[in-house]
Amino acid sequence: MTLSLDAVQPGKVGRVKDITGGMGVRLRLEQMGIHPGDVIHVKRKGVLRGPILIEMNGVEVALGRGIASRILVEV
Amino acid sequence: MKIALVGQPNCGKSTIFNHIASYKAVTSNFPGTTVSFTESKVSIYGDLCICVDLPGTYSLVSRDLAEITARNYLISEEVDAIVNVVDASILERGLELTIQLLELKKPLILCLNMIDEARRKGIFIDKEKLSEILGIPVVETVAVKGEGMNELFREIRRTYKEKLVGKVPQYGPTIEKAIKQLTEEIKLNGIREPYVSKRFLALRILEEDPYFLKKFPVDGLIKLKEKISETIKKESGQRPPLAISSERHAMSLNIFEDVAEVKTPKPDFRDRLDDVLMHPIWGYVFLLLIMYGFFQIVFKFGGYLEGPLIDVFNNLINQLKSSYGSQTLLTKLVEGVIQGFSGGIAIVLPYLVPFLLGLSLLEDLGYLPRIAYLTDAFMHKIGLHGKSVIPFILGYGCNVPAVMATRILETKRERIISATLSVLVPCSARSTIIFGLIAFYVGPTAALGIYVLNIFVIAVAGRIMSKLMPEEAPGLMLEVPAYRLPSLKVLLLKTWFRLREFIYVAWPILIVGSMVLSLIEYAHWDILINNLLYPLTYVLSLPKQVGVTLIFGILRKELSLIMLMQALGTPHLNQVLTHLQMMTFTIFVVFYIPCAATIGVLWKEIGRKWTLFSIGFTTGLALVLALLVKYIWILAASL
């Protein structure tokens, strides 16, 4: 099942299928270590639509919901 | 010889820099003169070196301002050797930057920092093999413990002497062909950039680096780039910037798999720490507790020392007056010096030292990104996102680094709003006034009230500004590093580097300022200044003599308080000021015009227009708030 990252429940693991949106955002995410094909672990979600904390390849990154919604994940 | 330290954010670069800077330091480094990076002169095995600590950068294709500064420094200056610091526990990502640095063909050393952390995560790196693949020396370090530093120094020297520039990495045939075509075109058009190769330029153009595209608006080049881009897009399905980024990622992964052995990680209690500190409820409880505890400690420690120290200097002044008469020029001058000196010892340092130490500790532990995570949702309410909280927190130390830290933000709009708001944050100088005057005389609750009012005002101002400058914020993208226990040495060094600014720059100004004020008083010029400022002091119901202190406050905020004692002629301010006057004075000083150093850095970072706006805005705000507090206080007292 393909979901956008902000819809994935904390504790779940998924594989990045695609990153939609502008090239700037895509490049920045790749620089921080998020690439299509990577396995992402959603660790926690902030309250009041706060950010999502994910972990991949040993790096933890906090993403705002807007950005998380552009990452499509296969769970 | 000039050495540059380059690395991705949070790789421990600055810790290594502090080690180098404290290692046989010839002269000390001077933060603030070059806004964005720190330089230090050191002697390594007898060679005089200038070592530069550049802002963390993920890539040489730069996006935010801090990264552009780092990249442009690397390519524009004659850098003799580059130390690429990598967090060994995330080597595969770090190597992507290393691959780009190899393109610069400058002597390069790879420093695998936090190697202990990597081993604990179960990552074992064969450094000989890595060195062989990259063609450059590889050194393992644990910077916080100072491990591997001597080897690093030795290898820096060897790399420079033997000009070890490494092997230029090769991309796939499509990209390599494109690079070749662009290199030819660059040659043909006679485009040159000192210190960097044409291949490097070709890659940057192909990766659509905004800086270089703007710098070389050559028709032929752009057309060729567009044509090549189309071909690459057809072949790989991606535009060149993404295609190249993917290839680099693949290259680093290959290297990583060649040199690293990954075993099961040891369990780590720190994982469970975040279950509490980033918890939807407990996270905020602990955030408040930590902040409360932090300010309590600063207040307790400072308050414990302030009273007795002031008495010592006060006795000295009284003795002076009784021996030499209170109105002679000599007495006035010496009194000025003593008051400037005691202001530093008794009022500023007792609060500043624990404050800076605590701030460095929170920073080095890695707590600040957690605060950004926790506050992101709230920052959205004022039109910013969680990353902006970092300038604000730094602002409690000093507004100058706070304004500089807005460089980590992606858009100009966010930088302007965050910079304008962060100068409202009471810096440690203003905190000394809040602590030394309000907490000391009026009470800790009133002091806390000022901080709360301040946060409230910043939130409202932020909301208004973001409404006036509507634009979609791109949202939070922030790495949250693992907690790290900093060594005492690193903490003390960091605190010292920050403290030094006060001791070497501000304190002498304080002493001289205090003397000048004595002279002004002796010559009765203060009457003129006080008369000019009388409308202001009148509406605020402050003693007329306060006027002159407000002028000094623009130079350095803490001067206002110290000058206040000088102007009112006593360190026991409760004998000459009512609690209400203390409150209005402090509120005004906390909010009004940023200090000279902050104005300077604002001008540089957000331009003249916004700096002037900030000056007018803060002064107007200060007046309104001081009046509000005054009338509310009077109203409350009459009830």
Side-chain angles (χ1 to χ4, degrees), chain A residues 23 26-33 35 44-48 51 53 57-64 67, chain B residues 58-59 61 63-64 67 90 93 121 208 238 245 249 274-275 280 284 373 376-377 474 476-480:
Chain A
M23 198 168 64
R26 272 195 76 166
L27 279 175
R28 178 50 114 198
L29 288 172
E30 294 212 352
Q31 286 171 2
M32 299 186 96
H35 312 80
R44 48 188 104 240
K45 278 182 175 181
V47 284
L48 301 169
L53 186 75
N57 311 321
V59 186
E60 282 188 11
V61 176
L63 296 176
I67 287 181
Chain B
Y58 284 107
S59 150
V61 190
R63 299 282 154 189
D64 69 33
E67 292 193 345
I90 44 172
R93 196 187 72 185
K121 273 192 180 173
E208 297 177 9
Q238 284 176 319
S245 162
H249 176 56
D274 272 337
D275 286 343
Y284 294 95
Y373 170 86
D376 185 61
L476 185 71
M477 275 189 265
L478 181 69
E479 197 178 330
V480 180

Side-chain angles (χ1 to χ4, degrees), chain B residues 5 31 46 82 129 174 184 196 213 345 436 487 492 528 618 635:
Chain B
L5 286 180
I82 300 173
K129 200 165 176 190
T174 320
E184 290 299 322
V196 296
L213 284 182
I345 293 258
S487 77
L492 291 177
L528 180 73
T618 47
L635 195 69

Side-chain angles (χ1 to χ4, degrees), chain B residues 86-364:
Chain B
V86 171
D87 176 351
S89 70
I90 44 172
L91 177 66
E92 48 189 304
R93 196 187 72 185
L95 282 173
E96 290 183 32
L97 179 63
T98 313
I99 288 171
Q100 297 180 54
L101 288 170
L102 281 167
E103 295 279 358
L104 286 168
K105 286 184 157 176
K106 287 186 180 177
L108 184 67
I109 307 125
L110 185 66
C111 171
L112 297 177
N113 193 29
M114 307 186 206
I115 198 79
D116 55 339
E117 182 82 26
R119 289 192 188 123
R120 218 182 29 73
K121 273 192 180 173
I123 302 168
F124 294 86
I125 302 163
D126 181 343
K127 70 168 186 171
E128 272 76 33
K129 200 165 176 190
L130 183 58
S131 166
E132 199 186 298
I133 293 173
L134 301 173
I136 53 171
V138 176
V139 181
E140 294 178 344
T141 58
V142 183
V144 282
K145 293 181 190 154
E147 283 170 25
M149 298 311 294
N150 281 331
E151 199 195 341
L152 181 65
F153 291 136
R154 212 165 40 237
E155 290 297 330
I156 288 175
R157 193 177 136 96
R158 183 169 77 94
T159 311
Y160 170 65
K161 298 267 175 213
E162 297 176 17
K163 298 273 174 288
L164 302 174
V165 296
K167 299 170 189 161
V168 174
Q170 295 294 304
Y171 291 87
T174 320
I175 305 283
E176 281 299 331
K177 194 179 145 206
I179 294 173
K180 205 163 170 236
Q181 283 175 312
L182 277 172
T183 314
E184 290 299 322
E185 188 68 23
I186 286 170
K187 256 187 220 155
L188 213 68
N189 284 295
I191 294 170
R192 288 196 58 227
E193 174 83 28
Y195 311 124
V196 296
S197 67
K198 300 216 164 35
R199 179 187 164 87
F200 181 83
L201 278 186
L203 256 172
R204 292 292 86 84
I205 297 280
L206 202 56
E207 288 189 74
E208 297 177 9
D209 186 304
Y211 173 81
F212 285 108
L213 284 182
K214 214 171 145 191
K215 188 162 180 187
F216 304 115
V218 182
D219 258 355
L221 188 65
I222 305 293
K223 276 199 190 112
L224 180 66
K225 188 214 87 183
E226 286 303 327
K227 209 181 104 201
I228 295 172
S229 294
E230 283 307 310
T231 328
I232 294 180
K233 203 177 166 196
K234 250 180 238 156
E235 276 180 39
S236 68
Q238 284 176 319
R239 286 177 66 83
L242 287 168
I244 294 175
S245 162
S246 309
E247 275 202 28
R248 249 194 321 255
H249 176 56
M251 278 191 229
S252 348
L253 266 184
N254 282 340
I255 298 176
F256 179 75
E257 274 160 17
D258 269 355
V259 301
E261 194 186 343
V262 184
K263 296 178 183 162
T264 33
K266 285 185 191 155
D268 190 355
F269 77 95
R270 290 179 299 180
D271 290 340
R272 263 174 293 157
L273 201 55
D274 272 337
D275 286 343
V276 179
L277 293 182
M278 291 173 93
H279 187 271
I281 296 160
W282 292 114
Y284 294 95
V285 172
F286 275 95
L287 176 64
L288 291 176
L289 279 178
I290 288 168
M291 286 299 152
Y292 179 75
F294 179 38
F295 281 100
Q296 273 291 320
I297 290 170
V298 173
F299 169 67
K300 283 270 152 62
F301 185 84
Y304 183 71
L305 292 177
E306 182 184 343
L309 282 172
I310 282 189
D311 285 341
V312 171
F313 287 104
N314 200 33
N315 287 340
L316 209 65
I317 291 173
N318 284 340
Q319 271 178 22
L320 182 82
K321 280 184 178 167
S322 60
S323 335
Y324 296 100
S326 62
Q327 289 307 317
T328 61
L329 179 61
L330 182 73
T331 311
K332 280 273 169 203
L333 274 180
V334 177
E335 190 189 347
V337 173
I338 294 177
Q339 263 169 352
F341 189 75
S342 72
I345 293 258
I347 301 177
V348 180
L349 289 179
Y351 297 106
L352 196 59
V353 173
F355 183 89
L356 292 180
L357 201 61
L359 189 67
S360 306
L361 180 68
L362 286 182
E363 256 182 284
D364 284 7

